[in-house]
Amino acid sequence: MDKKNRRLITWTPVLLAFAIIVGIFIGIVLQRRQQTAFNHVKSPGNSKIDLILNLVNDYYVDSVNEKQLVNNAIPDILKQLDPHTTYIPKKDMKEVNEEMSGNFGGIGVQFSIQNDTVTVVDVISGGPSQKLGIQAGDRIVMVNDTTIAGVGITNDKVIQKLRGKKGTHVKVSIARRGIPNLIDFDITRGDIPLYSVDVSYMIDKKTGYVKVGRFAENTYAEFMKALDKLNQDSVQNVIIDLRGNPGGYLAAVIKMVSEFLDKGELIVYTKGLHQPKKMFRADGKGSMLGKKVVVLIDEFSASASEIFSGAIQDNDRGLIVGRRSFGKGLVQEQIPFSDGSAMRLTVARYYTPSGRCIQKPYDEGNKAYYQDIARRYKHGEFEQRDSIHFNDSLKYHTRTGRVVYGGGGIMPDVFVPADTTGFSDYYGKITSKGLVYRYAFDYADAHRELLSKMKDAKAMEEYLNKQDVFAKFIRFAAKNGVPRDNKGLKISGKIIRTQLNAYIARNILGEEGFYPIIKEIDTTLQKAISVIESNKMPD
């Protein structure tokens, strides 16, 4: 080995050690510089979230969209609170506001997509479409020169095309039975109401029925109109149907339940850590005092529906019939942000007059909270009242001393199990294919001119029964993959027959055609009627 190579071997370890030392020194210097650079974001006034965003913006390896990061993070933060504190992105605010305000900009039609064709089911009275002569049964083939028939369009896409700001224009081309060419309409969009009260009618000479679907800004006015209609028919008993009603505005339900209570009677009170106790009492209008009242609820009746039910129950003003309600006893306030989004923040709990908070537990997380309905079903709650047990600590008393419970929904005074007696495999097959609805629509559409002469549900049902619609449907079902099943028909025949008549009537007369017919297989409503007739109502 020559002298030069021996020197290289001798100095290599030394040079390597020196390089490592220099590297460590440079690393320490850089780290100190980096730490010094980060010191400006560590001020005590900043939250950890602010610090993280500053660090990401200043030092992250790639460019980021800070606005998108925040929007994605907010829902995860709010999930740590309760199931009803939520963030509403700007893109969803329009729909949310329309839902609660009770109106939107549109052309004023109800539609259904049948055989890949958008068909007008009903035209809203006084709306833009009715004024131009658009009719139920018309097929909307084109919107703004774009074909929407036969292209697999969805309900959401149709709504996007037809809705819009009041005063704007939309062109539609319509196919009408008996007319060979398309009819073109230039429609100026208007304010279209979203109704909260689905229907009101007299079940018999004494008892009236009102179905309320939600509580929005216009609900009280609609409700009073419905009650006035019943009062004109000398109503003595009123059934308020809140089944499936998810709630809504507190102000609306306060005014509505006031119509049944004496002045000063407590309806509900609210309180929270940062919210002082606030009492809501009947205002003294009491237009329905002296009338017997029954409220129908189920597992999907929530929030304002539970306030209404709790006030009637705790004041011993009437009876609650059905199944245990959802159990939402939290009060939200909507807080708008400058970018058009908003947050609904839970600020208080509400309590029924007896002092009950009927909010069900949510300590196991949002998923478990919303799966509680399925858990109730598996537990047998929908079939047996005895399957429901409450701790004595949740026991409260109404004004006359009746025992009621808090901690998870309103328990009805009269329990009605879910009715599955008419279910069969045959019924399940035709239901899964949507055959009843499809046949009812096709039949109504084909006989629209004749059926439109029927003035009410009773006349409609009597006529349909004479036309042997049921037998024709059985043949229709067989052609669509569900062969006749005599055993299944024996079990489910009444349900199928009633649903056929009710859906055909709805396509012609609207909800006032549907509800009076469907009540024949509505076991909860039938129980309410029998309770009223038994004179076992509170005085």
Side-chain angles (χ1 to χ4, degrees), residues 265-514:
E265 287 188 297
L266 183 61
I267 296 171
V268 69
Y269 65 90
T270 63
K271 63 179 180 179
L273 179 63
H274 305 288
Q275 296 276 331
K277 185 175 181 180
K278 187 174 183 180
M279 314 280 276
F280 297 87
R281 298 183 181 276
D283 58 16
K285 292 181 179 179
S287 65
M288 301 303 288
L289 289 172
K291 317 283 188 184
K292 293 181 179 179
V293 58
V294 170
V295 181
L296 309 185
I297 62 172
D298 66 9
E299 53 277 0
F300 298 108
S301 304
S303 189
S305 295
E306 295 169 304
I307 292 176
F308 193 109
S309 306
I312 294 294
Q313 189 176 54
D314 285 5
N315 285 296
D316 291 300
R317 178 62 183 85
L319 292 181
I320 313 302
V321 175
R323 292 186 295 279
R324 182 160 65 114
S325 62
F326 182 85
K328 180 184 181 295
L330 301 176
V331 181
Q332 285 76 44
E333 286 187 2
Q334 187 162 302
I335 304 165
F337 297 136
S338 59
D339 66 349
S341 62
M343 176 174 66
R344 282 187 178 167
L345 181 67
T346 296
V347 297
R349 288 180 171 84
Y350 72 72
Y351 299 82
T352 68
S354 66
R356 289 183 287 170
C357 179
I358 51 79
Q359 174 63 45
K360 63 184 179 182
Y362 51 85
D363 51 346
E364 294 183 4
N366 289 3
K367 184 176 180 181
Y369 179 81
Y370 286 108
Q371 288 180 343
D372 175 60
I373 301 297
R375 183 194 62 78
R376 291 191 205 178
Y377 175 76
K378 292 179 181 179
H379 184 62
E381 179 176 325
F382 293 176
E383 285 76 37
Q384 296 290 333
R385 181 190 183 104
D386 293 342
S387 68
I388 307 167
H389 301 283
F390 294 98
N391 295 328
D392 286 344
S393 61
L394 301 173
K395 183 185 295 185
Y396 295 82
H397 295 87
T398 69
R399 290 177 61 181
T400 61
R402 292 189 302 129
V403 174
V404 290
Y405 290 91
I410 298 290
M411 189 68 195
D413 302 298
V414 180
F415 178 80
V416 181
D419 184 17
T420 58
T421 56
F423 288 11
S424 64
D425 289 341
Y426 178 77
Y427 177 73
K429 290 174 183 177
I430 66 170
T431 300
S432 66
K433 289 177 173 286
L435 296 182
V436 170
Y437 181 82
R438 281 172 52 191
Y439 183 80
F441 179 84
D442 290 342
Y443 186 91
D445 192 47
H447 301 84
R448 190 175 300 277
E449 184 177 352
L450 178 61
L451 294 176
S452 296
K453 297 177 182 179
M454 309 295 164
K455 295 183 179 181
D456 56 34
K458 183 178 179 181
M460 179 75 72
E461 188 172 27
E462 289 176 350
Y463 173 80
L464 293 174
N465 286 337
K466 293 176 182 177
Q467 304 308 307
D468 206 11
V469 173
F470 181 65
K472 295 174 183 176
F473 169 75
I474 302 305
R475 293 193 290 272
F476 169 82
K479 291 179 181 178
N480 285 272
V482 185
R484 183 185 182 94
D485 177 351
N486 290 330
K487 182 180 178 180
L489 286 170
K490 185 176 181 180
I491 297 171
S492 307
K494 182 180 179 181
I495 292 179
I496 297 170
R497 188 189 304 273
T498 304
Q499 287 181 339
L500 280 169
N501 289 346
Y503 282 117
I504 291 171
R506 173 181 270 172
N507 281 306
I508 301 298
L509 300 172
E511 304 299 3
E512 292 193 0
F514 177 80

Side-chain angles (χ1 to χ4, degrees), residues 168-221:
T168 58
H169 289 253
V170 58
K171 295 179 181 179
V172 299
S173 297
I174 282 174
R176 180 172 296 168
R177 187 182 295 272
I179 298 178
N181 299 319
L182 295 179
I183 307 171
D184 296 325
F185 294 92
D186 188 338
I187 307 173
T188 302
R189 295 182 177 99
D191 284 333
I192 309 302
L194 282 170
Y195 293 109
S196 305
V197 176
D198 297 334
V199 70
S200 65
Y201 73 96
M202 293 294 294
I203 290 174
D204 54 40
K205 292 182 179 179
K206 294 183 178 181
T207 303
Y209 170 89
V210 182
K211 170 71 173 173
V212 183
R214 60 199 174 89
F215 294 89
E217 284 184 7
N218 299 330
T219 306
Y220 175 67

